[in-house]
Amino acid sequence: MLDERDIVEMLQLRGSDQEQLFAAARDKRHEVFGDEVVVRGVTEIANHCRVNCQFCPMRRENTRHNEGFRLTVDDLVDAGRTVHANDINVVFFQGGEIPQTTRVVGEALPKIHDLYHGDVEILLNLGNKSHDEYAYLRDQGATSYIIKHETSDPGLNERMRFETLESRLDCMRDLLDLGYWVGTGAIVGLPGQSLASIARDILLARDIGAHMCSMSPFVPAPDTPLAGQPPGDVEVTLNALAASRLVEPNWLIPSVSALAKNQKGGQYRGFAAGANVMTVNFTPTEQRDRYLIYGKDRFVVRRDYATGLIASTGLRPRKSVFAGRTPARRKEFIP
Ligand code: SF4
């Protein structure tokens, strides 16, 4: 089993050693998933947030300056219809952490299930909520949930997010307990983060029993306290992605748009390093420009781009691996 020291070594590989790491990660992906990439359709549903993450332009302190939006139940059902029309059955809703999203999403989900006659994965990324809210959303038809730990270092986490890591892990425990497929992930290149800390990010995700894990390079976004910091190193991020594939071959691992933001061709290289998920953005244009996750000039993945990119990697798009399935319960959660 790979340990922290093994992963730290992997994070430092470059040149032909790095290529060998990527080849090993691709082999593992091939063993488990063949040559297929899960395609998700994301709609961003609200750009307010009660949290004040130092790296995010949607942070609470920016609420007054940002032009807010919140989609309605009908908007969400329309979004589900658009994703369905694009032959994608992972309907992904994400938004800032506010309590109002629970009801809106909950009311839309049964209607979206009807559109798909049940053959759909509903994936949510709406932040920390109570056990009861997660249970309600699960009852309404949610299948899976992404809740990133961002960094496994409790001190760094609190400095970056003004929240405790433990509160995030509590949410993961609730989600796993309720039978969600759970995704987590880390940001690579946060100020003050060490390679050992990144290695522990991967090991924490493994020990939690997550089913999905992302590695995103830090993007120094405008209008945030970290705007002047250097961007996260794409090479370290790609190595972390490949190491994640070797640590847990069964994981869904996205090649995130932030890779393309920090390096031309970065998202292609994510697949070369072992990723197997691509997310296409279906947020209506008017709202998309107000969802400032990396600032106004973020890289937005459209359907044609995704199709072309996947084809260029020699992989094939596929539908959900989770629709209609329930994960085995993981009671042995330790961290
Ligand atoms: S990263 Fe997420 S939780 Fe943090 S401020 Fe931005 S939207 Fe809110």
Side-chain angles (χ1 to χ4, degrees):
M1 192 185 274
L2 293 169
D3 64 15
E4 183 181 316
R5 193 187 303 181
D6 298 326
I7 298 172
V8 168
E9 278 179 21
M10 288 179 189
L11 296 178
Q12 298 173 84
L13 299 177
R14 298 291 182 275
S16 60
D17 292 336
Q18 186 187 41
E19 283 308 320
Q20 278 180 29
L21 172 69
F22 290 177
R26 289 197 299 273
D27 285 350
K28 281 289 174 204
R29 179 185 64 200
H30 182 79
E31 274 174 33
V32 179
F33 294 98
D35 291 323
E36 295 183 323
V37 173
V38 173
V39 180
R40 298 169 173 162
V42 71
T43 304
E44 291 139 347
I45 67 168
N47 66 348
H48 288 132
C49 190
R50 67 157 197 90
V51 193
N52 209 24
C53 298
Q54 297 232 40
F55 45 79
C56 178
M58 293 190 333
R59 61 202 304 266
R60 183 179 65 239
E61 275 179 23
N62 288 359
T63 303
R64 266 173 294 131
H65 314 295
N66 294 342
E67 212 185 325
F69 73 87
R70 238 192 282 158
L71 299 190
T72 64
V73 173
D74 287 345
D75 292 334
L76 266 60
V77 177
D78 282 348
R81 210 171 273 122
T82 304
V83 175
H84 183 256
N86 277 270
D87 204 27
I88 294 171
N89 77 337
V90 184
V91 178
F92 181 9
F93 292 127
Q94 86 176 357
E97 190 174 308
I98 50 172
Q100 293 88 337
T101 54
T102 304
R103 186 194 61 77
V104 174
V105 172
E107 289 184 14
L109 294 194
K111 297 175 184 173
I112 294 170
H113 262 264
D114 288 348
L115 289 173
Y116 281 87
H117 304 293
D119 180 26
V120 61
E121 173 189 345
I122 308 269
L123 170 63
L124 306 178
N125 180 2
L126 303 171
N128 292 15
K129 292 188 181 288
S130 69
H131 184 281
D132 283 354
E133 287 176 289
Y134 289 145
Y136 163 71
L137 290 166
R138 183 91 179 93
D139 288 346
Q140 293 297 100
T143 320
S144 29
Y145 204 102
I146 292 175
I147 185 151
K148 298 180 189 177
H149 57 281
E150 314 290 14
T151 166
S152 57
D153 176 332
L156 181 60
N157 203 302
E158 208 153 338
R159 286 198 298 285
M160 290 293 118
R161 307 192 69 243
F162 310 103
E163 299 264 310
T164 63
L165 175 63
E166 194 55 32
S167 64
R168 205 71 165 166
L169 298 182
D170 277 342
C171 289
M172 286 185 212
R173 292 184 186 104
D174 285 346
L175 290 160
L176 287 163
D177 192 49
L178 286 162
Y180 279 88
W181 299 96
V182 175
T184 186
I187 301 174
V188 173
L190 289 170
Q193 186 185 41
S194 65
L195 292 182
S197 175
I198 297 165
R200 288 194 292 273
D201 291 338
I202 298 170
L203 295 175
L204 174 63
R206 179 195 67 191
D207 294 342
I208 286 169
H211 308 99
M212 312 174 257
C213 186
S214 69
M215 289 289 143
S216 302
F218 165 63
V219 176
D223 303 319
T224 67
L226 303 183
Q229 296 289 326
D233 187 316
V234 170
E235 303 307 322
V236 177
T237 311
L238 291 168
N239 290 10
L241 194 163
S244 302
R245 174 63 66 208
L246 297 178
V247 165
E248 200 56 86
N250 294 332
W251 271 343
L252 291 188
I253 303 178
S255 184
V256 297
S257 62
L259 285 166
K261 170 117 181 122
N262 281 18
Q263 185 184 87
K264 192 169 180 340
Q267 217 167 3
Y268 174 90
R269 294 187 69 209
F271 290 110
N276 66 334
V277 178
M278 179 97 200
T279 302
V280 182
N281 194 303
F282 288 96
T283 309
T285 314
E286 190 194 337
Q287 282 85 22
R288 194 163 55 204
D289 295 340
R290 289 189 262 161
Y291 197 82
L292 303 169
I293 192 78
Y294 301 126
K296 282 194 196 312
D297 64 341
R298 70 179 167 137
F299 182 76
V300 175
V301 173
R302 308 235 163 74
R303 178 71 209 219
D304 290 351
Y305 169 82
T307 303
L309 178 64
I310 293 170
S312 73
T313 62
L315 300 165
R316 293 186 306 277
R318 65 155 293 158
K319 292 196 171 179
S320 169
V321 293
F322 295 148
R325 297 172 56 216
T326 306
R329 292 292 168 98
R330 297 286 296 253
K331 291 285 184 197
E332 71 276 23
F333 181 73
I334 308 219

